[in-house]
Amino acid sequence: EDKVVQSPLSLVVHEGDTVTLNCSYEVTNFRSLLWYKQEKKAPTFLFMLTSSGIEKKSGRLSSILDKKELFSILNITATQTGDSAVYLCGGGSNYKLTFGKGTLLTVNP
Amino acid sequence: DTGVSQDPRHKITKRGQNVTFRCDPISEHNRLYWYRQTLGQGPEFLTYFQNEAQLEKSRLLSDRFSAERPKGSFSTLEIQRTEQGDSAMYLCASRTLAGQGTFTDTQYFGPGTRLTVL
């Protein structure tokens, strides 16, 4: 059975801190690793990673995939209160995404 | 392109009643997915359609659950004889089929239907 594990499950930081969120996966017929941000609504797409070692960046957020170690990280630099959310990691096979439980990030002013 | 829409956004029902939810995917997205999300958990896959064909169902989808996508556009998810354990957020997502040489695994989610069974 496919499995995705995220750590930590929750994290509290101060504005300006840098955070690293972790995601390990065991997905049959793995194709891609996706990161989503979920506030009190539906998940919104952040990144899709398919190749090892190639960093994807969007502003203060970046992510990288290690297909040998079956691992991905999401980095957020200079955190802001608006970054407070649940960050979901999903392992994609040829037809579905298997999600972890998410990391609840709280950024305090 | 107005994104994925779901209706209703909230549904409160009594145990034993039937409920039906609707999802309208992004136009031209031929794959449509249903997920269920409970508090403190990530979304769990329920089923997906490619056009009007239902190609995969999770074992989470009991006999009381049925999903349709009759014309390959919108989809409905019906839960019969609801139980308190069915209380959850039901999320719909859509994506395009990958073109040759490209990955388009990105799924775009709707706002969800929050079901409360009393």
Side-chain angles (χ1 to χ4, degrees), chain A residues 1 31-32 36 38 42 95, chain B residues 31 33 37 42 59 105 107 110:
Chain A
E1 187 173 324
R31 280 162 54 106
S32 58
Y36 288 83
Q38 186 173 29
Y95 70 86
Chain B
R31 285 200 174 180
Y33 299 79
Q37 187 175 25
R59 56 187 169 79
D105 288 353
Q107 296 182 20

Side-chain angles (χ1 to χ4, degrees), chain A residues 1-2 7 48 70 99-100 105:
Chain A
E1 187 173 324
D2 294 346
S7 64
M48 184 180 78
L70 307 183
F99 286 94
L105 174 65

Side-chain angles (χ1 to χ4, degrees), chain B residues 25-30 95-97:
Chain B
I26 294 170
S27 59
E28 298 175 358
H29 277 194
N30 47 18
R95 60 165 266 206
T96 57
L97 192 61

Side-chain angles (χ1 to χ4, degrees), chain B residues 13-17 62 64-65 79-87 90 115-118:
Chain B
T13 191
K14 291 184 179 178
R15 192 176 53 186
Q17 298 294 305
S62 77
R64 297 183 297 105
F65 288 70
I79 309 174
Q80 296 182 323
R81 304 181 304 282
T82 52
E83 301 172 356
Q84 288 184 325
D86 297 331
S87 295
Y90 290 83
L115 172 66
T116 302
V117 181
L118 302 176

Side-chain angles (χ1 to χ4, degrees), chain B residues 7-79:
Chain B
D7 183 70
R9 298 288 304 276
H10 302 274
K11 178 71 177 179
I12 300 174
T13 191
K14 291 184 179 178
R15 192 176 53 186
Q17 298 294 305
N18 298 345
V19 294
T20 300
F21 311 141
R22 176 180 170 127
C23 170
D24 286 87
I26 294 170
S27 59
E28 298 175 358
H29 277 194
N30 47 18
R31 285 200 174 180
L32 185 149
Y33 299 79
W34 285 99
Y35 291 86
R36 180 172 67 189
Q37 187 175 25
T38 53
L39 198 63
Q41 303 292 321
E44 294 175 292
F45 169 80
L46 292 178
T47 188
Y48 94 103
F49 293 84
Q50 182 167 309
N51 300 314
E52 66 276 5
Q54 188 175 17
L55 296 186
E56 191 73 26
K57 291 196 293 186
S58 164
R59 56 187 169 79
L60 292 175
L61 213 65
S62 77
D63 291 345
R64 297 183 297 105
F65 288 70
S66 62
E68 293 183 339
R69 194 181 183 199
K71 296 181 181 178
S73 56
F74 73 91
S75 175
T76 58
L77 178 68
E78 180 183 17
I79 309 174

